[in-house]
Amino acid sequence: MPSLIHRATPGAIPHDVRDLLARFGFSLPKLLTTSNPKLNKGQALGHGRGLILHHLPAKALARAITPANHGSTAARGFIPSLLELAEREGLTAAALAHNGCPWMTAGCGSAEGGCLNFSGHGGMGQTVAAARGRRTLAMLANPEAYARAVLWSVARHYAAARLAGETLAVRLRGTDEGPSMGWHRLPVNITPGEALSLRERYGFETSPHTAAPITERLAANPGLYGYEYSKATIQGELGLISQRDHGVDITASFAADRPTACRDGLAALREGFRLAIPVAIKKGAPIPEFVTISAGGESVTVPAIDGDLSDHRYRDGFGAVILRTKLSRGAGPVADLFSLRGHESAQPLADGTVTLSWPS
């Protein structure tokens, strides 16, 4: 059991990682989010601790550094400090081009979409948005060093969780899909000295002999679980199957306003992925018992899972994870396309139907 966590000093962090954190205003303990209502619920249920990495989603970073952007709320608007930071670091062009959610749809990722980035504290003022923007800029500045910063931060939290006798779940795609080549494909090089420091200080095991991605490095440690939601396609180097093959427990995200919504949902279920479905059900109201998706003459019915009891999706069985739609501050009418309605009638989508069934 690691006991040296309290002796860790700034000098123990590799110089490039420490420099990157300092330039963008972060420390190891604060790089990932350790507490939110769903993480806290999961911990109270004995599911262990959780960490989530938050960036600005879709094209939100570009909007945040554009002076002419008058967002529907402060969090969606121009953030002068991010433009100053981007210009200082020579990242303005990269920030304007960045798309953190290549599979976004209008209902979630547009300027007034229903993205959960702008729910809760993320939609109140510019403090949270600015922090997520600084993380995004740090990732763009040096993806590999940033990945190692995340690894060191996770290792620190992992040691604390083990000292408390708890497991640790890590979600790197909290509000975006991560670096352009994917967290599961980005090579992360660890020197022998760095691997030794991580082991001795935090009890975190990682091999220095291969340029393995962070997802595989996390999966190599007992009691540490990597899990994600993703709107990615099934196939391809960035797809759901590729992510799963690199040690990540993936829940596919249903995009109700995508032209291929039902076919994509069926494809994910056929491949054994859970399917997360936002539904406009009031807090405290019961979720459906079953979800039926139909498209092209095929129909599949799966059990529903209450996704609001905890965020630890890797503990769930197979089925449809029902996520009650959260208030996304500043969202416009287009956000209504983001969610299904909370009734039992078949809901027609572009390529099929979805039917929610409650116990009679």
Side-chain angles (χ1 to χ4, degrees):
M1 190 72 68
S3 60
L4 299 179
I5 182 172
H6 302 298
R7 299 182 189 176
T9 64
I13 306 171
H15 292 298
D16 60 335
V17 170
R18 185 174 61 197
D19 174 67
L20 188 72
L21 291 172
R23 281 162 49 200
F24 292 91
F26 289 104
S27 63
L28 283 184
K30 301 296 184 181
L31 189 57
L32 286 85
T33 296
T34 60
S35 176
N36 68 26
K38 285 177 67 175
L39 289 180
N40 297 342
K41 286 180 183 178
Q43 188 171 7
L45 290 170
H47 295 173
R49 301 185 182 190
L51 295 174
I52 301 180
L53 181 61
H54 288 293
H55 299 129
L56 285 183
K59 296 290 290 182
L61 179 59
R63 293 193 289 269
I65 66 168
T66 300
N69 171 38
H70 303 292
S72 55
T73 63
R76 294 176 186 257
F78 171 54
I79 303 177
S81 63
L82 287 182
L83 176 58
E84 293 171 8
L85 181 59
E87 291 181 338
R88 187 192 79 194
E89 296 291 334
L91 293 168
T92 305
L96 290 172
H98 178 66
N99 182 359
C101 305
W103 297 280
M104 71 176 183
T105 57
C108 65
S110 63
E112 293 187 1
C115 181
L116 297 183
N117 178 70
F118 302 108
S119 65
H121 291 295
M124 301 171 63
Q126 293 190 338
T127 302
V128 173
R132 292 177 181 179
R134 286 188 282 113
R135 290 190 192 94
T136 312
L137 288 170
M139 179 179 68
L140 294 177
N142 189 332
E144 197 270 349
Y146 184 71
R148 286 172 43 244
V150 171
L151 189 73
W152 273 80
S153 181
V154 170
R156 190 180 193 282
H157 290 288
Y158 176 62
R162 293 183 69 197
L163 283 170
E166 295 183 289
T167 58
L168 180 66
V170 180
R171 180 176 156 204
L172 300 179
R173 295 174 174 88
T175 37
D176 75 330
E177 293 281 351
S180 59
M181 69 183 306
W183 286 118
H184 64 293
R185 295 179 61 242
L186 176 68
V188 178
N189 293 281
I190 301 293
T191 66
E194 194 172 350
L196 181 62
S197 292
L198 287 164
R199 180 186 305 117
E200 291 187 343
R201 292 178 177 276
Y202 303 127
F204 185 91
E205 297 290 341
T206 193
S207 172
H209 302 300
T210 60
I214 187 173
T215 54
E216 293 182 10
R217 294 186 182 281
L218 298 182
N221 287 270
L224 202 163
Y225 303 95
Y227 75 106
E228 305 289 356
Y229 300 86
S230 179
K231 280 192 174 182
T233 56
I234 295 292
Q235 303 294 337
E237 292 182 331
L238 298 178
L240 300 178
I241 292 175
S242 179
Q243 294 183 49
R244 181 172 63 188
D245 289 346
H246 285 81
V248 185
D249 183 285
I250 290 285
T251 299
S253 294
F254 187 76
D257 58 338
R258 184 180 287 161
T260 55
C262 293
R263 281 175 287 168
D264 291 346
L266 289 172
L269 293 172
R270 281 196 300 269
E271 291 291 340
F273 293 101
R274 289 178 229 95
L275 186 64
I277 304 178
V279 182
I281 302 175
K282 292 183 179 179
K283 183 178 179 180
I287 68 165
E289 185 176 14
F290 296 100
V291 175
T292 300
I293 301 177
S294 303
E298 179 182 5
S299 184
V300 173
T301 298
V302 295
I305 299 164
D306 192 339
D308 290 335
L309 295 180
S310 169
D311 197 57
H312 293 60
R313 294 278 74 82
Y314 67 95
R315 298 178 62 94
D316 293 335
F318 176 71
V321 179
I322 304 300
L323 301 172
R324 295 173 178 83
T325 305
K326 308 296 189 299
L327 172 65
S328 183
R329 291 177 174 82
V334 69
D336 291 340
L337 303 174
F338 181 70
S339 304
L340 297 179
R341 304 300 100 190
H343 59 66
E344 290 194 297
S345 300
Q347 301 184 46
L349 301 180
D351 66 335
T353 62
V354 179
T355 304
L356 311 177
S357 305
W358 277 260
S360 57

